[in-house]
Amino acid sequence: MQPTLGANHQSGKTTFTVWSPLAKSLEVIISGKDTQPLTVGDFGYWTSSEMDTVQPGDRYQYRIDGGSPRPDPAALSQPDGVHGASAVVDLPAFNWSDTHWQGIALRDMIIYELHVGTFTPEGTFEAIIGKLDYLKDLGVNTIELMPIAQFPGNRNWGYDGVHPYAVQHSYGGAVGLQKLVNACHQQGIAVLLDVVYNHLGPEGNYLSEFGPYFTDKHHTPWGLAINFDDAYCDGVRHYFQQNALMWLRDFHIDGLRLDAIHAIKDSGAKHFLAELSQAKELLSEQTGRNYVLIGECDLNDHKYISPQQVGGYGLDGQWIDEFHHALHTMLTGEDDGYYADFSDFSHLAKAYEKTYVYDGIYSPYRKRTFGNSAEGRPHSQFVVFAQNHDQVGNRMLGDRLTETLPFPALKLAAGAVLVSPYVPMLFMGEEYGETRPFQYFVSHTDPELVEAVRQGRKREFAYFQKEDQEVPDPQSEETFNHSKLSWDWSVLESQLLFKYYQALIKLRKELPAWQDDSRPALEVTVPEPKIILLTRQHTADESVAPTLIVLNFSKRSTLFTLPMSRDETYEKIFDSEDTAWGGEAPQANLIMAHDTSSQLLPYNLAIYQRSTE
């Protein structure tokens, strides 16, 4: 059994454990003055004796081979920033009141992605608690937090974190996160956390001084790969696996969104993700709670989410960027960069039907054959969205769809996600048409690094750049403040859009035909140019009335018919052009019979259910 890393405080005593397999000596420095040597054990784990003089809040650092004091790689708190001393935290001391909570299955989640620092004016966990009633009223039952591991300064997306175990101090630290999760569970809301196991940020990254955490065996877009399969990798794998289990066990997090898992380089016989999946299942058996692991992966390879019994890694789900790309291209007409692969309407239809658009076919953007088939994997394993932090923030100006689309098209974008058979995810603010951008921001202290980030930002997203416009300065506090939600509902359309989201989410939860996530339960056709027809039915219960969903991506009014037998009729149960949410008044027929033609307005979504009488 491998030891628990970090400063472990229990029953009034603290023990320090750190992995440093190449060190000759290692000592812990308490409060900048008291020093105690650590004793090395098997596989390079150094441990102190129990210390009853060290209490929660006390600062400490490690000194390796007589060098400069360094923060703990497994610190739970960095109150003085990424370069400062670590602080002892008593995690078990928190008084949880969620013993009734068992979690939410991925297939039942309505996810809401948010960035802690910009979701509220205060930018804290505590402030999010004040918005939980709002989220519940919207219909959301799961929030997904962008990364919260300690990063340099107070402004960052979170993907520059360098202390994977420490909760960002400016957000409210470990106790603040525990309070938020506890409050969410009291409201029936699950919490997912975005974690980064493919790289660490450049500033305050001292891991390599403690041991071979990185390897030149592989390379990633961020430099040397984390060492998951080279010499001494066992200690590295344990470090990240224990981190994942800590979030689930000690913070009661319901699941993890694993960032860019294609950049987790592991050529060993048992992939790190497969090991992590097994460890998650064991924890679930021990606690009686449901946990989910969702991978972000752009490889279109089903092995990541296939069961381990058939050679997969056993993750519960996967983000699907291709659905976004196909939807975005059809709505905006943009075909630059990777959008070039999704310029045909058939790509969006295929995204609904096959999930992977590039499933072993040639990709013009990549200039190679790409992907494999998702056949056999249920729709409920895939998370889709019209907007998220990447697809908004990685635009030159961080502009949202509200800056690009007319109001009917905004409603169609939301509807396209919420009527899909996949797990829907909203990005903070989209439900009321937030007009402020979400831009890329950092708060590094190294001037050379700041300039490198500025220049890298310009190069990486050059295909989004337009004439007479400049990339917002990532280091500027103004960029950060400009990215905070306005919570401005003064425009009537914001109120109407919120009601629209509410109604569609409610419909999604209630329609029996939408509760079957198997692939035979969905039929996708393109009856007219720019129209997608989704037929959703419950394959296990023929008595459940099927629904027909018509999505018009045309800028013009369009005639359509519904496929049905002569003795069937279908009644309209939802129309995006209803005046209740700012429509012009529906033109699509209320009742559709065999060979009846009807009309859809531009960017119109209409849902029909088979009449039972």
Side-chain angles (χ1 to χ4, degrees), residues 300-302 354 356 358-360 371-377:
N300 284 13
D301 187 349
H302 65 75
K354 301 291 187 181
Y356 296 156
Y358 287 86
D359 54 1
N372 60 31
S373 173
E375 195 68 31
R377 306 314 319 146

Side-chain angles (χ1 to χ4, degrees), residues 27-30 32-37 51 63:
E27 54 191 3
V28 60
I29 307 168
I30 310 299
K33 52 183 180 180
D34 298 327
T35 301
Q36 183 180 106
M51 304 171 68
R63 180 180 285 125

Side-chain angles (χ1 to χ4, degrees), residues 406-419:
F407 190 62
L410 281 179
K411 291 188 287 185
L412 180 60
V417 170
L418 290 169
V419 303

Side-chain angles (χ1 to χ4, degrees), residues 9-16 28-31 33-36 48-60 88:
H9 183 82
Q10 290 186 353
S11 303
K13 297 181 179 181
T14 302
T15 303
F16 296 92
V28 60
I29 307 168
I30 310 299
S31 301
K33 52 183 180 180
D34 298 327
T35 301
Q36 183 180 106
S48 73
S49 60
E50 290 186 338
M51 304 171 68
D52 56 13
T53 57
V54 179
Q55 297 300 313
D58 287 349
R59 304 292 203 270
Y60 70 98
V88 177

Side-chain angles (χ1 to χ4, degrees), residues 96-276:
W96 292 97
S97 58
D98 66 345
T99 54
H100 66 287
W101 182 257
Q102 292 184 318
I104 298 176
L106 179 58
R107 58 166 294 163
D108 297 324
M109 288 181 174
I110 311 290
I111 304 173
Y112 187 97
E113 185 191 24
L114 65 87
H115 177 268
V116 177
T118 56
F119 181 61
T120 64
E122 301 86 351
T124 63
F125 299 125
E126 197 88 35
I128 296 173
I129 295 175
K131 294 290 187 182
L132 294 183
D133 284 338
Y134 164 84
L135 294 174
K136 192 172 182 180
D137 189 39
L138 172 62
V140 165
N141 63 13
T142 305
I143 63 171
E144 180 174 311
L145 306 176
M146 287 177 63
I148 59 172
Q150 186 79 31
F151 50 74
N154 295 330
R155 306 183 304 275
N156 201 293
W157 275 18
Y159 300 94
D160 284 335
V162 290
H163 286 277
Y165 285 70
V167 182
Q168 177 65 20
H169 192 70
S170 61
Y171 290 169
V175 175
L177 177 60
Q178 288 176 316
K179 287 180 179 179
L180 172 61
V181 176
N182 197 49
C184 284
H185 290 172
Q186 294 302 310
Q187 293 272 33
I189 297 174
V191 182
L192 303 178
L193 177 62
D194 197 338
V195 294
V196 185
Y197 295 157
N198 53 62
H199 77 285
L200 280 85
E203 182 179 347
N205 180 359
Y206 298 107
L207 283 186
S208 59
E209 296 185 26
F210 284 85
Y213 277 87
F214 301 91
T215 174
D216 60 3
K217 181 178 177 180
H218 308 287
H219 291 265
T220 74
W222 306 280
L224 296 180
I226 291 177
N227 178 18
F228 286 107
D229 65 354
D230 206 350
Y232 298 100
C233 69
D234 289 351
V236 180
R237 294 167 76 98
H238 171 58
Y239 176 84
F240 286 102
Q241 183 181 118
Q242 187 179 110
N243 178 257
L245 295 179
M246 176 197 74
W247 297 121
L248 305 179
R249 180 189 60 240
D250 301 330
F251 288 91
H252 293 201
I253 297 290
D254 297 284
L256 304 176
R257 182 265 193 188
L258 304 163
D259 179 68
I261 55 176
H262 49 271
I264 296 177
K265 306 294 185 180
D266 183 1
S267 59
K270 188 159 193 175
H271 197 281
F272 169 74
L273 293 174
E275 254 183 21
L276 182 58

